[in-house]
Amino acid sequence: MPPISGSWAKALGGEFHKDYYKKLFVTVGQEYAARKIFPAADDIFNAFHFTPLDQVKVVILGQDPYHGDGQAHGLCFSVKPDVEIPPSLVNIYKELEDDLGCYIPNNGYLEKWAKQGVMLLNTVLTVRAHQANSHRGIGWEEFTDAAIKVLAAQDRPMVFILWGKPAQQKKSMLDPSKHLILEAPHPSPLSSYRGFFGSKPFSKTNDYLKSHGIEPIDWQIENI
């Protein structure tokens, strides 16, 4: 696993010396050596590389990486430009179109969001090929909880978007008097019609940012 750099390295450096992380490091290394694991090892910490701590405006919490071939690249809900758009992201785009009038692009590459300060963080950062949640419970949750606590401690306006129960379980770490917390069902086809559609997270996020004098997010992902 490549090291985290910059402001995140300073904030999370202590985690790398804890027993749970040492075990996690060994386990993940063994998994990559013996099995097909996603994302590629160099992409595990892309959520941190793409969105430095001091630039985070919005946090979208996912569960674990996509487990299909070529999909995961370290940003939750995002896929590389040449990969078919997964169903959950199709629904996110539908809500974005309804909420802000953005057109639905021909790709699912969300780097543009990450570069504007939208941290796309999964609670588990690796997965076995074609086995959803297969790396749940090996230590990633402790590490990403530490990251969420660092984010929650930032003394500046920030938006946390919690889609689905695994993400909403992190709400207890957040302070609604300091940050905007938006909750809705997960955008997957199984739950999107239970209140994800119509939740308007993108306009609510931008209204909040603008009300605090912060540049809003340009949510439009362009066609390639």
Side-chain angles (χ1 to χ4, degrees):
M1 293 189 284
I4 288 179
S5 58
S7 53
W8 276 114
K10 189 174 181 181
L12 292 174
E15 299 301 307
F16 302 124
H17 304 292
K18 293 181 179 177
D19 287 343
Y20 87 86
Y21 191 87
K22 292 173 184 175
K23 289 177 188 173
L24 172 65
F25 187 88
V26 170
T27 300
V28 170
Q30 291 171 340
E31 286 282 287
Y32 273 91
R35 300 172 180 270
K36 195 174 192 179
I37 305 297
F38 299 131
D42 286 347
D43 290 340
I44 291 173
F45 291 124
N46 273 352
F48 300 90
H49 297 319
F50 282 43
T51 316
L53 175 58
D54 56 355
Q55 294 177 24
V56 177
K57 301 176 181 179
V58 183
V59 182
I60 297 179
L61 281 181
Q63 189 167 320
D64 68 333
Y66 293 126
H67 53 83
D69 290 317
Q71 291 182 307
H73 68 101
L75 304 180
C76 74
F77 295 109
S78 179
V79 291
K80 289 282 183 70
D82 56 346
V83 176
E84 184 179 355
I85 302 172
S88 290
L89 184 52
V90 168
N91 286 337
I92 290 169
Y93 282 163
K94 286 178 181 175
E95 176 61 18
L96 183 54
E97 180 185 42
D98 182 61
D99 187 6
L100 290 178
C102 294
Y103 68 81
I104 295 177
N106 62 4
N107 69 94
Y109 191 48
L110 304 182
E111 178 192 28
K112 178 181 175 180
W113 293 0
K115 295 288 190 182
Q116 293 180 81
V118 181
M119 188 169 193
L120 299 166
L121 181 65
N122 279 313
T123 56
V124 173
L125 300 186
T126 55
V127 68
R128 289 179 182 173
H130 316 301
Q131 295 182 48
N133 284 325
S134 46
H135 280 179
R136 181 173 57 191
I138 66 170
W140 280 128
E141 292 91 344
E142 194 164 346
F143 180 76
T144 55
D145 278 1
I148 293 166
K149 287 172 184 171
V150 167
L151 288 161
Q154 300 302 300
D155 193 21
R156 64 179 194 272
M158 199 180 292
V159 182
F160 289 85
I161 298 176
L162 311 179
W163 289 330
K165 286 182 181 173
Q168 288 163 10
Q169 286 169 354
K170 310 299 182 184
K171 186 179 178 181
S172 61
M173 291 185 252
L174 308 176
D175 182 351
S177 70
K178 285 172 55 178
H179 304 125
L180 177 63
I181 302 167
L182 299 176
E183 296 181 80
H186 195 276
S188 80
L190 295 172
S191 56
S192 55
Y193 288 94
R194 296 179 193 150
F196 173 76
F197 289 131
S199 60
K200 301 194 178 301
F202 308 103
S203 60
K204 288 176 181 176
T205 292
N206 279 356
D207 287 347
Y208 177 82
L209 294 175
K210 286 186 284 189
S211 74
H212 287 86
I214 300 169
E215 185 75 20
I217 306 300
D218 176 5
W219 294 102
Q220 179 68 68
I221 300 295
E222 283 83 15
N223 283 335
I224 293 176

